[in-house]
Amino acid sequence: MGLITAACAAYASLAAWLWLTFAQGMFWRTDVRLPPRTAPAHWPSVAIVVPARDEAEVLPRSLPSLIAQDYPGEAEVILVDDGSTDGTGELARALARQHPGLPLTVVSPGDPAPGWTGKLWALRHGIGIARTAHATEPDFLLLTDADIAHEPDSLRELVAAAASADLDLVSLMARLRVAGVWERLVVPAFVYFFAQLYPFRRINRPSARTAAAAGGCVLLRTGAAVRAGVPDSIRQAVIDDVSLARAVHRSGGRIWLGLADRVDSVRPYPALADLWRMVSRSAYAQLRHQPLLLAGTVAGLVLVYLVPPAALLAGLATGHPAIAWAGGSAWLLMAGTYVPMLRYYRQSPALAPLLPLTALLYLLMTVDSAVQHYRGRGAAWKGRTYARPSDA
């Protein structure tokens, strides 16, 4: 019976990897970059809105890059200081004095109203100021996190792409920092798993049934934001970027999502504990706080990522080549589809066979996210804990 079970698991895992490799929107390819674009005859106006809570550590490497944007049209930066205790607002003003460029406004919205997550409350305040501060509201909003650094032509290229393809939302998955051992092991896999859940090519089809965005860099037409009622319509969302994209998609907006070349996160995650908090704070929210979805996710991770190496080793150890072949083939497909992401992150392909270990870490992070939720700690981030939407 054990042999039959092992064989079934090995072949089921291989079947899963054949499907993922060839039928899941080619999620593993990393060539989805900004679509072809030309400069518009008239450059639209843009308000760059930056929610920031206790970001003094990273702001000197990110905010000057926004102020220095080489943009031919009208543009401004609005930094929303979301209750910081580390002098984020004062530092932002000092950086603006040291780095002349786009005008910077620093505002504070106060504590979030009941039913709002902090980031979306900050975005609501910043978007409101952007739309009312001048005689005419901006054509576009660039929503970007405080830890994201942009090359000088970033805004120009984003707007050109949106204008050329008539897109309502253009989002780039910023290249996360990969420096330490744990970052090398965990970070590329984070983007790989995200693309597996939301294949970029599938998201970018006009007929797409779902939508997603990467919250670190989202260019959004102001009119599309108004039609979608955002951020008010998603005020309880912990996974705010995907919720934002879905709201725009439901209202008829056209979505595009891809990988960034010149937009980078400068936030360090030097220890495993830092990465663990990044993932576990929202993993159970991604599963809508449903125990059945959690159980299915754990079972899926085991079948897809842990069974292949286990089957290969078990088959070799017990003299059953068919089991070893199925497990080894699945592991080979897994590693092969991971190599492009490692190359995108300028990492050695030799890390690809370690993906089962990384998947095990993500499994444990997801379970821990659920445990923290049922202990009443919910989705915690920078001193705030958010309940599930139905409890908010």
Side-chain angles (χ1 to χ4, degrees):
M1 189 66 177
L3 178 61
I4 294 175
T5 301
C8 289
Y11 278 94
S13 184
L14 177 58
W17 273 107
L18 288 169
W19 181 83
L20 286 169
T21 302
F22 299 108
Q24 183 60 355
M26 296 295 175
F27 76 94
W28 44 271
R29 293 183 58 173
T30 56
D31 56 350
V32 182
R33 309 299 171 88
L34 279 176
R37 54 209 176 273
T38 57
H42 171 72
W43 287 93
S45 57
V46 184
I48 303 172
V49 181
V50 185
R53 178 174 171 83
D54 291 336
E55 299 287 11
E57 178 185 2
V58 298
L59 215 57
R61 288 170 285 168
S62 60
L63 186 59
S65 75
L66 291 172
I67 296 173
Q69 284 300 297
D70 179 16
Y71 185 67
E74 295 182 9
E76 63 176 331
V77 182
I78 301 171
L79 185 136
V80 186
D81 183 6
D82 180 22
S84 298
T85 59
D86 65 350
T88 289
E90 294 79 0
L91 176 60
R93 294 184 182 93
L95 289 169
R97 291 191 294 268
Q98 297 168 15
H99 303 274
L102 298 183
L104 171 71
T105 301
V106 179
V107 296
S108 180
D111 292 334
W116 283 82
T117 61
K119 179 180 177 180
L120 290 173
W121 179 249
L123 285 176
R124 180 180 188 266
H125 195 72
I127 291 171
I129 289 175
R131 294 183 59 199
T132 58
H134 306 288
T136 58
E137 60 184 29
D139 299 300
F140 283 92
L141 303 162
L142 176 60
L143 313 179
T144 185
D145 289 348
D147 65 330
I148 303 298
H150 294 251
E151 291 295 326
D153 61 350
S154 174
L155 180 58
R156 187 171 68 244
E157 295 299 317
L158 285 164
V159 171
S164 298
D166 194 24
L167 297 166
D168 294 291
L169 184 153
V170 177
S171 180
L172 288 175
M173 174 70 74
R175 199 189 305 258
L176 305 179
R177 196 189 92 134
V178 175
V181 172
W182 290 111
E183 289 172 333
R184 290 187 174 93
L185 184 65
V186 174
V187 167
F190 178 85
V191 183
Y192 174 87
F193 294 147
F194 182 91
Q196 194 175 80
L197 287 172
Y198 306 105
F200 297 164
R201 279 178 171 76
R202 193 168 290 172
I203 294 294
N204 296 343
R205 294 172 185 168
S207 58
R209 295 183 179 181
T210 187
C217 179
V218 177
L219 182 74
L220 177 63
R221 286 187 189 270
T222 305
V226 173
R227 287 194 303 272
V230 295
D232 296 60
S233 62
I234 59 169
R235 60 187 178 276
Q236 296 177 335
V238 176
I239 315 295
D240 53 85
D241 44 11
V242 174
S243 299
L244 171 64
R246 287 175 175 170
V248 172
H249 184 261
R250 284 195 301 267
S251 65
R254 292 192 59 197
I255 306 292
W256 188 92
L257 170 64
L259 292 171
D261 283 317
R262 293 153 63 77
V263 177
D264 301 284
S265 172
V266 297
R267 188 182 304 283
Y269 293 98
L272 178 59
D274 302 313
L275 292 159
W276 195 287
R277 282 191 294 270
M278 178 190 74
V279 175
S280 65
R281 71 184 176 93
S282 59
Y284 198 40
Q286 181 74 47
L287 301 176
R288 302 197 293 274
H289 304 104
Q290 296 295 323
L292 287 178
L293 285 178
L294 174 64
T297 298
V298 170
L301 286 169
V302 170
L303 176 67
V304 174
Y305 289 100
L306 303 187
V307 164
L312 173 61
L313 296 176
L316 293 174
T318 59
H320 292 93
I323 296 176
W325 176 85
S329 298
W331 198 359
L332 185 63
L333 286 171
M334 182 198 313
T337 59
Y338 190 37
V339 166
M341 188 61 69
L342 288 171
R343 287 177 173 164
Y344 170 73
Y345 272 96
R346 306 181 185 96
Q347 299 301 305
S348 170
L351 292 172
L354 298 180
L355 189 55
L357 173 59
T358 305
L360 175 60
L361 290 174
Y362 275 90
L363 185 157
L364 296 174
M365 293 172 190
T366 302
V367 172
D368 181 59
S369 179
V371 170
Q372 297 307 318
H373 171 79
Y374 289 112
R375 286 181 174 175
R377 297 174 186 174
W381 186 244
K382 293 191 176 181
R384 289 186 179 138
T385 300
Y386 301 110
R388 71 174 74 190
S390 60
D391 298 335

